Amino acid sequence: MTAGTVTTAGTVTTAGTVTLVGAGPGDAGLLTVRGLRALQEADVIVADRLGARAVLAQLAEEGVRVDAEVVDVGKLPGHHPVPQDGINELLVSLAHQGRRVVRLKGGDPFVFGRGREEQLFCEAAGVEVDVIPGVTSAVAVPGLAGIPLTQRGIAETFTVASAHDQIEALGGGRDHTVVLLMGVNTLGHSAHVLAAGERGADCPVAIIEDGFGERQRVTIGTLGTIAQIAASRQVRSPAVVVVGDVVALSPEAGTPAT
């Protein structure tokens, strides 16, 4: 990632760039080689809270040198200290200063990450943007719990959805796996809606909390029981919810929740 040059009124100035990098689900080992190279070449890193900061901390612990200034724009549920418009403006401002900017986003920038919005905003301001994909938690975290999203003879299709949105339109039966991101606070509603369709109340459900983190934990239930089980276990975000018969393949499926 190298900055170019722009000539204005006979003066040559350095043009900054922005690179959107997917940090993955929070394990530095899942950061791509190209993503790591971008971090090491950056002048400034504009980092999310989930996934991104954990990866930077792990790299430091492992002695991997990243010299860039880090700007934290992380969001907490219901609290956005730097709103999205502010993040967009910050990326453009830093690039216009001639800096090589990495926008480090948890998971993949284009999976509920608003990466394309940031790309379009920067490009409209004349800033060159590169995109480096990341491993999305929607796939990696279920895999960590031994849950494949597709399995021959069990499930041939999967859908990733934000539980913040209406999910009434998600059709299909238990052979159509549903992965819900940001789904803990609306778990009761989501389970009720999905149980009312072809899946039924006895459809298996798994919640994987803090995937790749210190609090990693798997909770198993059904659409009819998962809200009560999650409440009794005090399940917390961040978590990935998986709905469908593939949940029964998890080694945790035969272990009673405690």
Side-chain angles (χ1 to χ4, degrees):
M1 180 176 60
T2 57
T5 57
V6 175
T7 303
T8 56
T11 301
V12 178
T13 59
T14 301
T17 60
V18 170
T19 302
L20 304 180
V21 176
D27 185 334
L30 295 180
L31 180 69
T32 66
V33 172
R34 188 175 167 208
L36 175 59
R37 186 178 300 120
L39 292 176
Q40 293 178 316
E41 293 177 354
D43 297 312
V44 58
I45 299 168
V46 179
D48 277 350
R49 178 179 67 95
L50 291 179
R53 292 310 301 262
V55 164
L56 290 175
Q58 288 174 34
L59 290 174
E61 290 172 2
E62 295 171 7
V64 178
R65 186 169 177 176
V66 176
D67 294 329
E69 173 190 355
V70 178
V71 178
D72 191 336
V73 294
K75 301 175 182 178
L76 293 168
H79 178 59
H80 299 171
V82 183
Q84 187 61 49
D85 288 348
I87 294 173
N88 295 345
E89 294 284 357
L90 175 63
L91 296 175
V92 169
S93 175
L94 291 170
H96 281 172
Q97 294 171 26
R99 307 179 79 178
R100 294 170 295 184
V101 183
V102 163
R103 174 70 171 108
L104 188 62
K105 304 175 73 67
D108 181 274
F110 284 5
V111 179
F112 297 112
R114 305 187 74 169
R116 181 59 173 159
E117 294 178 40
E118 295 175 358
Q119 181 183 24
L120 290 172
F121 188 90
C122 290
E123 289 176 344
V127 175
E128 178 185 343
V129 180
D130 190 18
V131 179
I132 300 177
V135 177
T136 173
S137 62
V139 174
V141 171
L144 192 65
I147 302 173
L149 301 188
T150 62
Q151 177 80 0
R152 187 171 59 179
I154 298 176
E156 302 295 336
T157 305
F158 72 90
T159 297
V160 179
S162 166
H164 289 171
D165 301 325
Q166 295 297 317
I167 60 171
E168 281 80 356
L170 291 179
R174 296 160 57 140
D175 60 346
H176 179 164
T177 306
V178 173
V179 181
L180 298 177
L181 303 181
M182 301 167 282
V184 172
N185 292 337
T186 57
L187 181 62
H189 171 73
S190 298
H192 174 76
V193 170
L194 293 175
E198 295 180 35
R199 292 175 178 85
D202 62 344
C203 179
V205 180
I207 307 172
I208 306 99
E209 295 174 81
D210 196 30
F212 296 95
E214 295 179 355
R215 298 185 300 105
Q216 180 180 307
R217 182 174 64 159
V218 180
T219 298
I220 303 286
T222 67
L223 285 174
T225 64
I226 194 63
Q228 181 179 355
I229 294 172
S232 68
R233 302 193 81 196
Q234 298 184 324
V235 168
R236 297 288 182 265
S237 297
V240 175
V241 180
V242 185
V243 181
D245 278 343
V246 291
V247 169
L249 298 174
S250 172
E252 304 281 350
T255 304
T258 58

